[in-house]
Amino acid sequence: MNTSAIFLRRLRLAIKESIEEVIDTAKQTHKFKNHPGNKLEREGLEAYYGQYVGVITLSRRVGYAGYVHEGFPAHKIKPKFRKALRWVANGDFRWAAHVMHPGFKGDPFLYRAFDGSQGTIERIFDKQVELACQEVENGFIS
């Protein structure tokens, strides 16, 4: 195997390990409430690997992931198909023509995970470069 192929293979491994590190950190350090049946923690992040690039995105399968991550402003909620909204409070039905949602600050867990993983990512790349150097050296010795 030639020298450039060794380094490129190790680069791909470093990218993959780094993405896995960021995803694991994001899953462990998020601050949003994870309710039973909540898909955000299980399926909220997706990783794509290109030839020499890795991308982490919020999953499209979890439509509310962007709102949890980025937050949203206060807004009015109105019924779409009826004249009033209805919900249960203290065992009684409550009715309203509209309600004000207070908004949500957001939990940028993916950004925090990336920032918090910088040292680990650097160590991953350093390790892979060192291993590539050893492979090249062993190839010249053999």
Side-chain angles (χ1 to χ4, degrees):
M1 186 178 281
N2 67 22
T3 305
S4 63
I6 290 171
F7 275 96
L8 293 176
R9 182 173 54 81
R10 289 292 177 178
L11 175 62
R12 284 192 298 272
L13 288 171
I15 290 170
K16 187 172 186 206
E17 278 184 58
S18 298
I19 284 181
E20 290 169 358
E21 169 65 25
V22 172
I23 288 174
D24 288 345
T25 302
K27 287 181 177 181
Q28 293 171 7
T29 61
H30 68 76
K31 295 179 181 173
F32 61 84
K33 290 182 181 178
N34 195 26
H35 302 288
N38 187 345
K39 297 190 316 182
L40 184 55
E41 189 174 54
R42 287 188 324 271
E43 303 174 17
L45 298 174
E46 293 179 346
Y48 300 99
Y49 305 97
Q51 185 68 13
Y52 306 113
V53 68
V55 178
I56 303 171
T57 63
L58 295 169
S59 175
R60 292 182 185 195
R61 292 182 308 225
V62 183
Y64 56 89
Y67 296 112
V68 171
H69 194 268
E70 299 298 324
F72 53 90
H75 61 282
K76 185 186 288 190
I77 299 175
K78 297 188 285 186
K80 286 185 179 181
F81 304 110
R82 303 282 186 223
K83 293 181 180 180
L85 299 169
R86 182 181 84 163
W87 68 95
V88 176
N90 298 327
D92 294 328
F93 285 114
R94 305 289 177 173
W95 301 83
H98 67 272
V99 294
M100 284 301 296
H101 190 286
F104 179 68
K105 181 179 164 191
D107 177 17
F109 56 93
L110 189 53
Y111 300 148
R112 267 196 326 273
F114 181 73
D115 291 342
S117 298
Q118 287 300 307
T120 305
I121 291 170
E122 289 176 15
R123 286 189 292 279
I124 289 169
F125 275 85
D126 289 345
K127 178 186 82 173
Q128 291 296 341
V129 167
E130 181 63 33
L131 291 171
C133 289
Q134 289 173 4
E135 282 185 49
V136 170
E137 185 179 325
N138 291 341
F140 285 130
I141 293 173
S142 302

